[in-house]
Amino acid sequence: MAPPRNVVKIAVQMPDAIPQLIQLDQAKPLAAVLKEVCDAWSLVHSERYALQFADGHRSYITENNRTEIKNGSILCLSTAPDLEAERLLGGLQSGSRERRREALQHLVLLAPDVTFAQEVISRDGLQRLGTIIEDGDDLGEVLTLALRAFLELMEHGMVSWETLSIPFVRKVVCYVNMNLMDASVQPLALRLLESVTLSSPALGQLVKSEVPLDRLLVHLQVMNQQLQTKAMALLTALLQGADPAERKHMLGYLWQRNLRQFIYKNIIHSATPLGDEMAHHLYVLQALMLGLLEPRMRTPLDPYSQEQREQLQALRQAAFESEGESLGTGLSADRRRSLCAREFRKLGFSNSNPAQDLERVPPGLLALDNMLYFSRHAPSAYSRLVLENSSREDKHECPFARSSIQLTVLLCELLRVGEPCSETAQDFSPMFFGQDQSFHELFCVSIQLLNKTWKEMRATQEDFDKNWVAPGHAGGAGAAGPYAGPEAQLPGAFPNQGECTSLWGGAAAEADRAAASGGHAGPSHTVSCWEWVPVLAPPAPVPHGPCPRSVPVSKPSPCPLRPPTQGATGEAEARAHGPDPSAAFAPPLRGDTLPQNQQPEAPGWLNGQGLAESGWVGIRAPRVILPSSLFAHRQAVVLLPVPQPQGAAVRGRGGGRQPTHPGEPA
């Protein structure tokens, strides 16, 4: 006959005694169970004893958690928590250093248990630990144990961090600022100050005034990873507690001290694997950096601002300077205004008055900042992009200003600019620590690749609005974690291989039918040579270990470009000689998973180490433009490369010209 469901078979042990194998009735009061166990060992006063789990944190068993006892559990009989707390707190007041150390060791072991913590706190245990920390008579093991026990008790949330005294906080600050200090003390002191800063604004201001940023920079540059992590934790806590103006000033000072370069070279790309806690703090730091863009993103253009009007004129003159000077000479004021309005329309604004386009928030003034940065730091690419589109007489021009405004919105959505920091997220992107003005640099490369993709799609103005969709808005990929394959990362953007093959065949058939009938099937697919195409996806943590599977990167011989429509014969040839479209959706490539002789050679994009370091998703894909039917089936995505530092060359296809401007595509 099977035992009742509320009866479990367990073992109970005690030092210097033979273990008992009993059947525990969960319906029986715990006091009665304790009495039976004590009677079996001839122990009197069963109220002085308690049961604990023998494994893990040795938690005390109470009526609240007794359901955690399962068949086969091993329990041990020990002193009741109230008596144990009284005994250990008495040991803290002993004059013997060895007895205090022993009491602190037991206190650290039992402090995570909420039942024991309640007994210690109710007997003023925190005050006794605080006295040991403030006195600082022993800066070695005793102080380390006292800090650990204090932190464990405080993390139960029974006592507010705001109740800590100012002298106590200042004493902990002294431990952080001391040069010669035990390596195990300072990480605990930094952890305590982080909790104080996040929980109490008043004490947080005290910590910010007492702990210099230079001191945190010293801790960040040590080889002790635990100390480094806790220093980064306190730094992000101080930045979170600062107002926007003060945060901007603090970040500016840290960048002047080369913290960004140090993080990129010595933390992100350290030989030691990046821990989850450090990854979270880097995510928070990235979010705070991008948060500085929020005021510009939420501020519309003021048509009465002289500075902003001059910026718009500078944007126009950078594209049409020579043309404007030659045509505007000797013209009346009305004719000159008409000329400026026409040039703003050629620049890609929807209205002759560009202020109306930039009144939209987001992106507000951030879109203007991006366009100005592009025009000043890549003037040749800017002029070429604007002029080649403004000179077209058909409907296939890509409006620069409208594209820039929409692209800025898309980047802000993908990077979650202005959103509160998550308490658990770890998805930072190393590129934001790799160079200054990384957001603007990302825009510079993105707008050029967008223009290139637009031309290959043979898109028209009618396609402008329907193809601007952020990956993940349909399938929830915006909250995806580390890359787990193409379908897992961008479910709303990429079809799987079967769907892709089916759509590809349907697209080709559609083009064949349209060509045979003399019609036009819309933007048709164009197959060109294979090349590296990074895809802008939600920033992911630095990948650890090899990806699930790697594919070779040796390039087949390039296929010649085909015109958009070639008739049935031409399209059949394109399908016969073109690459397999399903390969475009292979998992990302990592430089450390490829043989040395197959390392990609594209230093300006994502290659080898650059791909592994970037944190952005890269795919090996043909430059393929799918027909409009695919966009109707799946939401479109924008293919974006990761920008390189100014002056970095970008390898073009077929050994072509090497771009010299930052962000200029091949």
Side-chain angles (χ1 to χ4, degrees), residues 65-297:
N65 66 356
R66 63 183 299 173
T67 55
E68 298 177 13
I69 303 175
K70 307 298 181 184
N71 276 318
S73 296
I74 300 177
L75 309 182
C76 60
L77 189 67
S78 61
T79 308
D82 55 341
L83 298 178
E84 186 68 11
E86 191 70 37
R87 184 183 72 83
L88 294 180
L89 292 178
L92 295 183
Q93 297 178 322
S94 172
S96 169
R97 180 183 180 278
E98 184 62 27
R99 188 179 173 189
R100 280 188 297 165
R101 185 182 65 82
E102 183 181 351
L104 285 169
Q105 286 177 338
H106 284 84
L107 196 60
V108 168
L109 291 175
L110 295 174
D113 179 66
V114 62
T115 304
F116 179 79
Q118 289 175 339
E119 299 294 342
V120 173
I121 292 173
S122 65
R123 289 166 170 78
D124 297 331
L126 284 172
Q127 287 79 355
R128 299 187 191 185
L129 290 170
T131 301
I132 296 175
I133 296 172
E134 282 192 63
D135 291 343
D137 297 333
D138 189 331
L139 300 181
E141 185 180 8
V142 170
L143 180 58
T144 300
L145 292 171
L147 285 168
R148 287 183 60 188
F150 188 89
L151 285 167
E152 292 289 352
L153 292 173
M154 288 296 296
E155 286 183 356
H156 288 290
M158 302 175 192
V159 179
S160 172
W161 290 94
E162 295 182 349
T163 60
L164 300 184
S165 66
I166 292 178
F168 175 82
V169 175
R170 281 183 170 157
K171 187 63 178 182
V172 177
V173 167
C174 289
Y175 296 144
V176 170
N177 292 335
M178 289 179 65
N179 291 323
L180 299 177
M181 174 58 64
D182 189 280
S184 59
V185 170
Q186 287 186 326
L188 295 170
L190 288 165
R191 176 183 163 192
L192 193 151
L193 293 181
E194 177 204 3
S195 299
V196 168
T197 303
L198 293 174
S199 304
S200 172
L203 293 177
Q205 289 295 323
L206 174 64
V207 174
K208 185 172 62 175
S209 63
E210 296 282 343
V211 180
L213 291 178
D214 288 331
R215 188 61 193 167
L216 293 179
L217 292 175
V218 171
H219 290 316
L220 284 170
Q221 295 174 10
V222 300
M223 299 302 295
N224 185 334
Q225 191 176 31
Q226 185 183 17
L227 179 58
Q228 200 177 63
T229 301
K230 297 307 178 183
M232 182 64 73
L234 179 56
L235 177 61
T236 56
L238 292 174
L239 289 170
Q240 286 179 279
D243 58 72
E246 191 175 18
R247 184 182 304 150
K248 183 177 181 179
H249 174 74
M250 293 170 66
L251 285 172
Y253 178 78
L254 293 171
W255 294 168
Q256 289 178 1
R257 298 299 306 274
N258 298 321
L259 175 63
R260 179 184 56 76
Q261 294 89 331
F262 180 84
I263 291 174
Y264 186 78
K265 294 178 181 178
N266 300 93
I267 296 181
I268 296 177
H269 296 131
S270 171
T272 306
L274 195 67
D276 292 343
E277 186 178 357
M278 177 62 83
H280 170 70
H281 296 313
L282 291 178
Y283 153 78
V284 174
L285 184 57
Q286 173 185 296
L288 295 174
M289 291 161 49
L290 292 172
L292 297 179
L293 302 172
E294 184 181 9
R296 300 290 289 179
M297 181 185 73

Side-chain angles (χ1 to χ4, degrees), residues 384-433:
R384 183 174 65 252
L385 189 152
V386 173
L387 293 177
E388 74 179 10
N389 283 288
S390 61
S391 61
R392 301 189 62 163
E393 297 181 357
D394 54 18
K395 297 181 180 181
H396 296 291
E397 71 275 5
C398 179
F400 170 72
R402 286 183 65 196
S403 299
S404 299
I405 292 170
Q406 194 66 30
L407 178 59
T408 304
V409 173
L410 178 64
L411 292 177
C412 290
E413 290 178 356
L414 290 173
L415 300 173
R416 303 177 180 90
V417 175
E419 294 185 12
C421 295
S422 167
E423 295 183 359
T424 58
Q426 302 173 10
D427 52 340
F428 74 94
S429 176
M431 65 170 291
F432 289 104
F433 301 96

Side-chain angles (χ1 to χ4, degrees), residues 56 322 433 450 586 634:
S322 58
F433 301 96
L450 170 63
R634 288 282 185 171

Side-chain angles (χ1 to χ4, degrees), residues 47-80:
E47 67 276 3
R48 298 181 180 179
Y49 296 93
L51 291 174
Q52 287 179 291
F53 287 104
D55 302 327
H57 292 294
R58 299 180 66 88
S59 301
Y60 282 97
I61 295 173
T62 63
E63 295 291 352
N64 295 326
N65 66 356
R66 63 183 299 173
T67 55
E68 298 177 13
I69 303 175
K70 307 298 181 184
N71 276 318
S73 296
I74 300 177
L75 309 182
C76 60
L77 189 67
S78 61
T79 308

